[in-house]
């Protein structure tokens, strides 16, 4: 198992943001966390990474605790947070070089820059990039250490259709080479294209866990979008 | 390149692109030393003049501005904007980040020290009566103590606002009430008692004694206070460092 989480609960004061979530992830598999805004997707990711305090029976990434073995674990794990902030006056090249220096081994930077369509932008300030370019840079940095597992929180939010397709293609290739992915997304076409398994969260509670086809079957809906709306309780309410 | 040298290079560039370090860390102390040269009494017929004594105090302003102000503000800014949170999910140790930021600020403090010394010596014919190696050694120790305070503040404050508050409190009280700008000797006795609490007062006291070549007869207490700052500051920072 690349990732294993058992009965994890995240509370903010008396409010439970994530209630007893459990899941595992195999090598080369992709799991998608779905749910409305505030359903607990990002809190789950933060808790799994050990960035957010949580209660759990088991939490292991690549067989180790991300809290106690932080250094070893994150040598092989990439993370793209929902919001990626950079130092005020840093350039694209500097941001990449700095990230590269954090790891013992990394992938080919110039290759990644090309894949993510950032060539020619190396000397630009990160803050002068467009939203989509900045998002692509954030995903690039997550993939830079050649990770075995990567967390992508809303990976294509802000990207145009073409960029999304290219990114999916790239992730699918990496998946074939054994990369495991945990992602959150609001786009069901993306989930359909990438995920082997999905978890639908509603107010922190896991309301569905299984494959995309199982979601269709058990909800008796014809599209993933409808099945998602059915489970997430977003069907009629605004 | 190692993580540390890369951080030094890139973060150094970023810090210097902001002008604060240049204005407060370097220009301000040098301007003040010019001002002191013209304003303070340089009559050394009665032992040492107030100007002579001011040297040991003015050289600490660069340490204050970089260590107690620049250092914690940069770290708090990175925490506030979620940059430290991104580093938390990488193999980098918080000590590497703190240490690199410390060295960057220290370089400015050293430039400031050299600038102030040149103004004192070349413009106003100042000579250090005590031993230079001893003076530099004490200066290094005072620097370590002040940076420990700065690292402590930077590691613990929860946001930019409280970083501003606490580093300003530490900076301005020590700038005004430890003898760095207004000489300790001219303060009324009851203010001096208050000043005795501030760590930098003890540092400046030691620096003054060594600069004029007096023996450090009461050195024990002054070293004790500085050592306490280092132990609490660095110990607290490693134990309670907050990524977000």
């Amino acid at each position: 198992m690349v990732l294993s989480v058992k009965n994890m609960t995240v509370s903010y004061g008396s409010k439970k943001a994530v209630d007893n979530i459990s899941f595992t992830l195999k090598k080369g598999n992709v799991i998608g966390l779905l749910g409305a805004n505030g359903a607990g997707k990002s809190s789950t990711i933060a808790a799994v990474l050990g960035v957010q305090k949580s209660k759990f029976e088991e939490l292991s990434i690549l067989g180790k605790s991300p809290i106690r073995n932080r250094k070893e674990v994150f040598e092989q794990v990439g993370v793209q947070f929902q919001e990626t902030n950079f130092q005020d006056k840093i350039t694209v090249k500097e941001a990449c070089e700095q990230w590269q220096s954090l790891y013992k081994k990394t992938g080919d930077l110039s290759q990644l820059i090309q894949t993510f369509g950032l060539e020619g932008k190396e000397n630009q300030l990160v803050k002068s990039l467009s939203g989509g370019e900045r998002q692509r840079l954030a995903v690039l940095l997550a993939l830079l250490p050649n990770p075995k597992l990567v967390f992508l929180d809303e990976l294509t939010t802000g990207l145009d259709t073409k960029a999304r397709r290219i990114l999916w293609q790239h992730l699918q290739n990496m998946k074939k080479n054994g990369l495991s992915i945990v992602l959150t997304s609001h786009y069901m076409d993306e989930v359909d294209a990438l995920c082997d398994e999905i978890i639908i969260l509603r107010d922190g509670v896991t309301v569905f866990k299984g494959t995309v086809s199982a979601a269709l079957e058990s909800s008796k809906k014809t599209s993933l979008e409808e099945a998602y709306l059915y489970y997430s309780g977003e069907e009629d309410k605004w | 390149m190692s993580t540390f040298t890369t951080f030094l290079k890139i973060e150094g560039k970023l810090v210097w692109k902001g002008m604060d370090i240049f204005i407060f860390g370097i220009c301000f102390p040098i301007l003040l030393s010019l001002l002191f040269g013209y304003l303070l009494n340089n009559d050394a017929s009665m032992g040492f003049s107030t100007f002579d004594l001011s040297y040991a105090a003015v050289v600490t302003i660069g340490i204050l501005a970089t260590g107690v102000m620049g250092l914690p503000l940069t770290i708090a800014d990175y925490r506030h904007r979620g940059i430290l949170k991104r580093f938390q999910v990488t193999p980098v140790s918080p000590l590497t980040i703190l240490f690199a930021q410390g060295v960057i600020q220290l370089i400015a403090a050293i430039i400031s020290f050299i600038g102030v010394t040149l103004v004192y010596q070349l413009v106003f014919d100042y000579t250090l009566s005590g031993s230079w190696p001893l003076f530099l050694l004490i200066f290094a120790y005072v620097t370590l103590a002040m940076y420990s305070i700065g690292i402590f503040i930077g590691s613990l404050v929860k946001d930019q606002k409280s970083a501003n508050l606490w580093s300003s409190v530490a900076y301005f009280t020590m700038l005004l009430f430890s003898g760095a700008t207004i000489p300790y000797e001219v303060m009324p006795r009851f203010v001096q008692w208050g000043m005795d609490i501030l760590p930098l007062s003890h540092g400046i006291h030691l620096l003054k004694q060594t600069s004029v070549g007096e023996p450090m007869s009461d050195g024990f207490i002054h070293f004790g206070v500085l050592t306490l700052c280092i132990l609490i500051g660095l110990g607290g920072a490693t134990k309670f460092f907050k990524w977000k």
Side-chain angles (χ1 to χ4, degrees), chain B residues 40-220:
Chain B
L40 293 182
N41 175 14
N42 203 355
D43 173 17
S45 53
M46 314 263 288
F48 295 99
S49 68
T50 23
F51 176 73
D52 283 336
L53 287 171
S54 72
Y55 171 71
V58 177
V59 286
T60 63
I61 296 173
I63 311 179
L64 261 187
T66 55
V68 181
M69 202 71 161
L71 187 55
L73 287 184
T74 312
I75 298 167
D77 176 47
Y78 283 7
R79 178 179 301 113
H80 180 68
R81 294 199 292 137
I83 294 165
L84 288 185
K85 183 177 145 191
R86 291 205 296 123
F87 283 125
Q88 187 182 4
V89 292
T90 73
V92 74
S93 131
L95 281 180
T96 309
I97 302 174
L98 289 176
F99 195 53
Q101 291 293 348
V103 170
I104 291 161
Q105 297 285 342
L106 189 63
I107 291 170
I110 292 170
I111 296 174
S112 167
F113 173 82
I114 295 171
V116 168
T117 308
L118 288 178
V119 168
Y120 267 73
Q121 293 202 328
L122 299 181
V123 184
F124 302 109
D125 293 326
Y126 170 80
T127 41
L128 189 100
S129 321
S131 125
W132 266 112
L134 188 64
F135 182 78
L136 291 177
L137 212 63
I138 305 279
F139 182 76
Y141 201 66
V142 175
T143 306
L144 184 61
M146 290 303 115
Y147 275 55
S148 301
I149 295 175
I151 286 176
F152 184 75
I153 296 174
S155 297
L156 263 72
V157 288
K158 62 177 192 298
D159 55 27
Q160 192 66 11
K161 241 184 171 173
S162 51
N164 263 323
L165 174 71
W166 289 111
S167 52
S168 297
V169 166
Y171 175 74
F172 284 109
T173 45
M174 289 205 272
L175 185 71
L176 297 174
F177 298 112
S178 65
T181 45
I182 310 167
Y184 183 90
E185 294 79 10
V186 306
M187 290 288 192
R189 186 64 207 126
F190 68 95
V191 179
Q192 284 182 352
W193 286 330
M195 291 167 78
D196 287 339
I197 305 169
L198 299 170
L200 188 59
S201 305
H202 298 274
I204 291 178
H205 193 87
L206 286 173
L207 284 169
K208 274 186 182 163
Q209 282 181 325
T210 37
S211 76
V212 297
E214 262 177 35
M216 287 178 282
S217 47
D218 52 354
F220 183 71

Side-chain angles (χ1 to χ4, degrees), chain A residues 54-117:
Chain A
S54 64
K55 285 199 180 113
F56 52 82
E57 267 170 44
E58 192 190 334
L59 167 60
S60 89
I61 298 180
L62 302 165
K64 291 190 175 118
S65 157
I67 299 161
R68 271 176 289 117
N69 304 94
R70 190 188 138 250
K71 273 190 170 187
E72 294 158 66
V73 167
F74 288 109
E75 195 69 56
Q76 305 180 64
V77 174
V79 181
Q80 172 243 320
F81 285 117
Q82 200 180 103
E83 235 178 274
T84 309
N85 287 309
F86 292 87
Q87 294 92 317
D88 196 32
K89 292 195 171 103
I90 201 163
T91 65
V92 173
K93 196 174 153 197
E94 286 166 345
C96 292
E97 270 178 23
Q98 186 171 47
W99 221 247
Q100 216 172 8
S101 80
L102 303 175
Y103 303 94
K104 287 189 193 123
K105 258 196 273 174
T106 57
D108 184 351
L109 178 59
S110 51
Q111 180 66 50
L112 280 167
I113 284 185
Q114 212 161 29
T115 308
F116 284 88

Side-chain angles (χ1 to χ4, degrees), chain A residues 25-214:
Chain A
L25 183 61
K26 277 190 251 160
K27 188 180 174 195
N29 272 19
V30 180
I31 193 165
L33 299 174
L34 315 182
N37 291 325
K41 305 182 298 289
S42 294
S43 294
T44 302
I45 288 191
V48 170
L49 294 171
V51 173
Q52 171 66 47
K53 253 196 176 159
S54 64
K55 285 199 180 113
F56 52 82
E57 267 170 44
E58 192 190 334
L59 167 60
S60 89
I61 298 180
L62 302 165
K64 291 190 175 118
S65 157
I67 299 161
R68 271 176 289 117
N69 304 94
R70 190 188 138 250
K71 273 190 170 187
E72 294 158 66
V73 167
F74 288 109
E75 195 69 56
Q76 305 180 64
V77 174
V79 181
Q80 172 243 320
F81 285 117
Q82 200 180 103
E83 235 178 274
T84 309
N85 287 309
F86 292 87
Q87 294 92 317
D88 196 32
K89 292 195 171 103
I90 201 163
T91 65
V92 173
K93 196 174 153 197
E94 286 166 345
C96 292
E97 270 178 23
Q98 186 171 47
W99 221 247
Q100 216 172 8
S101 80
L102 303 175
Y103 303 94
K104 287 189 193 123
K105 258 196 273 174
T106 57
D108 184 351
L109 178 59
S110 51
Q111 180 66 50
L112 280 167
I113 284 185
Q114 212 161 29
T115 308
F116 284 88
L118 291 168
E119 71 270 29
K121 311 251 175 202
E122 289 93 334
N123 293 320
Q124 267 190 36
L125 290 179
V126 173
K127 68 175 172 190
S128 75
L129 294 177
S130 73
E133 287 166 339
R134 218 168 19 241
Q135 180 73 5
R136 276 182 271 155
L137 176 62
V139 179
L140 181 156
L141 294 180
L143 296 174
L144 186 58
N146 242 336
K148 290 187 176 150
L149 167 65
V150 68
F151 291 81
L152 304 167
D153 198 353
E154 298 198 6
L155 79 149
T156 61
T157 298
L159 294 191
D160 58 35
T161 313
K162 189 183 142 211
R164 288 174 67 201
R165 299 276 156 161
I166 294 172
L167 187 55
W168 295 354
Q169 184 80 59
H170 187 66
L171 290 174
Q172 273 157 347
N173 287 340
M174 293 187 76
K175 187 183 155 187
K176 269 182 212 143
N177 291 326
L179 175 71
S180 311
I181 304 173
V182 177
L183 62 83
T184 76
S185 179
H186 287 297
Y187 304 108
M188 292 310 136
D189 52 348
E190 182 163 290
V191 174
D192 211 6
L194 294 171
C195 295
D196 300 297
E197 209 182 318
I198 56 171
I199 290 177
I200 301 176
L201 294 170
R202 182 176 177 174
D203 298 323
V205 179
T206 307
V207 287
F208 177 83
K209 188 165 84 172
T211 60
V212 170
S213 52

